Amino acid sequence: MSETITVKKPRKVKGKIQIDIQKCKGCELCTVACKEDAIKLSKEINNLGYRYAVFVNPDNCTGCENCALICPDGVIKVYRTTGKKKELIAKITNVTSNIEIKVEENPAAEDLRKMEYI
């Protein structure tokens, strides 16, 4: 009887997010937008009385920006690390007026194949 063990390859691109939990209203849009299950809703409440989003699986995050782009309150910052370089790639500060997004000029073909569109 043989057992199959699946080993995940280490990701070349890793992401990290920061969530301003005191401004989060717990709408859960980011949890749905995160295809890697890196974001969940906390059981705790913030100063506004809402359950807030938390970054629970950092190893799964690819830095895809879906969470920051869908957040109606602009409380999520996304960072992407490639090798030893870490850079801010998405910061949505005010959905109605300020949007700063940096997109790689030549994304790898492999990354394009992995993208899912809503």
Side-chain angles (χ1 to χ4, degrees), residues 50-66:
Y50 297 106
R51 292 176 55 205
Y52 50 87
V54 290
F55 190 36
V56 294
N57 292 320
D59 291 337
N60 291 359
C61 183
T62 61
C64 70
E65 306 172 35
N66 288 345

Side-chain angles (χ1 to χ4, degrees), residues 19 27-34 39 53 66-68 70-71 76:
I19 303 169
C27 68
E28 295 188 76
L29 290 173
C30 59
T31 63
V32 174
C34 181
I39 306 170
N66 288 345
C67 57
I70 203 160
C71 180
I76 302 174

Side-chain angles (χ1 to χ4, degrees), residues 16 18 79-82 84-88:
K16 180 180 178 184
Q18 289 180 334
Y79 296 87
R80 188 178 295 154
T81 305
T82 54
K84 294 183 181 180
K85 186 179 178 185
K86 175 182 168 184
E87 61 181 316
L88 177 66

